[in-house]
Amino acid sequence: MQEGRTIFWDDGICTIDQTRLPGEFVEIRIEDVRDLVEAITSLRIRGAPALGAAGGYGIALAARRSRFNTALELLMEMEAAGAMIKGSRPTAINLSWGVDRVLRAAAAKESAEDMRIAALAEAEAIAEEDLLVNRALGRNGARLLDDGASVLTHCNAGRLACVGWGTALGVIRSAVEAGKRIEVYACETRPLNQGSRLTSWELSRDKIPVTLICDGAAAYLMRKRKIDAVIVGADRITKDAVFNKVGTYSHALSAKAHGIPFFVAAPLSTFDAQHSEDEIIVEERSADEIRRLGDAILAPTDVPVWNPAFDATPMELVDALITEKGVFRPPLMPPI
Ligand code: MRU
C-alpha cells in the first residue's frame, strides 16, 4: 500500500478491501469497470471522498481498457462507464462529482490519446487534492476541540473513507497532532459495522483512545458521561440537510437534547447546492444485511425489512460545517 494513501493508481485501481477488515488486511487491484462497480456496491471501497477518487479512476480505467481510437467513440464509451459507476451508489455525491470531473477533463481534448492522458491526470489530481483538503479541514476543525475532549462519532469518516487522513477522523487526528488529548466513542454502526470494524481499527492503530459502543447506547452515553462534541462525515450536504450513514440523525437529536455541539466535517465536493433534501435518493440496501450476520440468521427470513443506508439530518441540528475553506455555522454555508 502506498504510504498514507488508501486508494491509488498502479496500472489499475489499488485499494484495501474494506469488507475484510479488521480480520484481514487485503489489498486489491481493480482492472475493469465492472469489477469497480462490484467493489463499490459491496462496499469494498466506501466513504464519500474515497468514492470520488474511485469514480475518477474508474473513468481513467474505462479509457485505458477501451479499444476505440477515435475521440468520439472513446468519449461515448467513457460516458457509458460513467453512468454505470454513478448508478452503483446514488447518495454520496462525491462519486458522480469524481466521474463528471474526469469526463469533463477528457472531453476537452481532441484526440483519443490525449483523452486517455487527461483522464488519468485528472483522476490523480482528485486523489492528491483529497489529501490536502482533508489536512486543511482537519486543521480548521481541530480548533473546535479542547485538550481533553471526548468526541462521539458514527460510521467511518477516516482514512479508509478518503484517500487519506479522513474528514471527521481527520479533525480528531489534527487535534491529536496539535498536542491535544482526545478520547473517541465510536458507534458500531449497524448493519455493516463500519464503526466497529473500521473506525475502531483505524484509531487503535494510531493509538488514539477509542471506546466502542452499540448505536443504541449513544443517547445514554451523552446523559451519563462527558461528551464534548459529536463529529460525523457526510455523503451529501444539501442546503437544508446532511446525508450521512443511517443513525446520524438520531445522534444529532440526542446531541441537541443534551446541549452537545453537533459538527459535520466534509470537503466542498460533498456539497450539493442544486438540490434539497426531498429530491435526494437514499440508497436502500438488501434485507439480508439486517437479517443475517455471515452464516448466522438474526431474524425470521420472512419478516419485512427497511434498510436505508443513509439518513438526513435537518440543518437546524447542525452547529458547524467543517470544510477546507473554514468553519461555517448554518444557516451560513460555504460558497460553492
Ligand atoms: O455506506 P458507507 O460506508 O459508504 O457510508 C459512509 C458514510 O456514511 C460516511 O460517514 C461518509 O461517507 C463520510 S466519509 C468521510
Side-chain angles (χ1 to χ4, degrees):
M1 190 52 45
Q2 230 180 53
E3 187 62 32
R5 279 183 63 161
T6 304
I7 180 162
F8 61 94
W9 179 268
D10 182 11
D11 213 19
I13 306 171
C14 300
T15 190
I16 304 162
D17 183 346
Q18 298 193 34
T19 62
R20 309 283 286 273
L21 289 169
E24 293 172 293
F25 186 92
V26 177
E27 296 175 35
I28 49 175
R29 186 201 307 266
I30 296 164
E31 296 175 4
D32 181 78
V33 172
R34 281 179 206 285
D35 292 342
L36 175 62
V37 167
E38 189 282 328
I40 292 172
T41 48
S42 63
L43 272 59
R44 295 182 210 288
I45 305 174
R46 50 148 298 283
L51 291 175
Y57 280 135
I59 298 302
L61 196 59
R64 167 78 58 111
R65 294 283 170 267
S66 173
R67 62 191 165 81
F68 291 120
N69 278 320
T70 69
L72 187 62
E73 286 173 311
L74 179 60
L75 186 61
M76 280 169 63
E77 185 158 357
M78 289 162 79
E79 283 173 347
M84 251 171 74
I85 296 168
K86 289 201 266 186
S88 59
R89 292 198 85 190
T91 310
I93 191 174
N94 297 67
L95 181 58
S96 46
W97 170 86
V99 165
D100 289 340
R101 187 169 147 178
V102 173
L103 279 175
R104 269 197 310 276
K109 302 294 173 195
E110 281 175 8
S111 73
E113 195 191 337
D114 284 352
M115 285 168 66
R116 287 189 169 93
I117 294 168
L120 184 55
E122 192 69 10
E124 291 282 31
I126 290 176
E128 289 297 331
E129 278 168 33
D130 188 64
L131 289 171
L132 299 175
V133 157
N134 291 335
R135 282 287 187 163
L137 74 80
R139 278 193 299 277
N140 293 335
R143 297 192 195 106
L144 302 175
L145 300 180
D146 292 333
D147 183 25
S150 281
V151 176
L152 179 120
T153 191
H154 189 68
C155 195
N156 172 265
R159 190 170 273 145
L160 292 164
C162 302
V163 179
W165 202 242
T167 55
L169 298 194
V171 169
I172 291 164
R173 285 198 167 98
S174 296
V176 170
E177 194 176 58
K180 296 177 187 176
R181 286 159 304 154
I182 307 291
E183 181 189 15
V184 181
Y185 285 91
C187 295
E188 68 175 340
T189 317
R190 281 282 294 150
L192 295 179
N193 294 79
Q194 290 92 331
S196 51
R197 291 189 304 103
L198 308 176
T199 294
S200 66
W201 179 80
E202 272 197 34
L203 292 176
S204 53
R205 266 168 60 114
D206 278 10
K207 305 213 172 356
I208 296 174
V210 56
T211 302
L212 188 59
I213 61 167
C214 66
D215 303 330
Y220 190 48
L221 171 75
M222 293 183 206
R223 188 170 162 88
K224 297 303 278 188
R225 296 197 187 173
K226 189 177 81 68
I227 296 294
D228 298 287
V230 176
I231 307 185
V232 295
D235 290 90
R236 184 186 293 251
I237 302 175
T238 57
K239 44 191 179 252
D240 53 352
V242 171
F243 289 80
N244 191 49
K245 179 54 56 193
V246 69
T248 301
Y249 177 35
S250 309
H251 299 323
L253 286 169
S254 300
K256 178 64 86 189
H258 294 92
I260 296 167
F262 181 84
F263 299 142
V264 177
L268 294 189
S269 52
T270 301
F271 285 74
D272 175 1
Q274 316 302 323
H275 298 104
S276 54
E277 179 188 338
D278 291 345
E279 296 168 303
I280 304 307
I281 298 170
V282 172
E283 176 189 354
E284 292 191 18
R285 295 185 60 88
S286 139
D288 277 351
E289 289 183 352
I290 294 184
R291 289 190 189 130
R292 293 170 182 272
L293 191 60
D295 292 336
I297 295 175
L298 301 182
T301 49
D302 55 353
V303 167
V305 163
W306 181 50
N307 184 18
F310 304 98
D311 63 22
T313 297
M315 205 52 85
E316 302 81 73
L317 296 177
V318 177
D319 290 284
L321 297 164
I322 301 165
T323 76
E324 68 272 33
K325 294 287 178 206
V327 173
F328 298 84
R329 304 265 177 189
L332 201 66
M333 299 288 273
I336 36 169

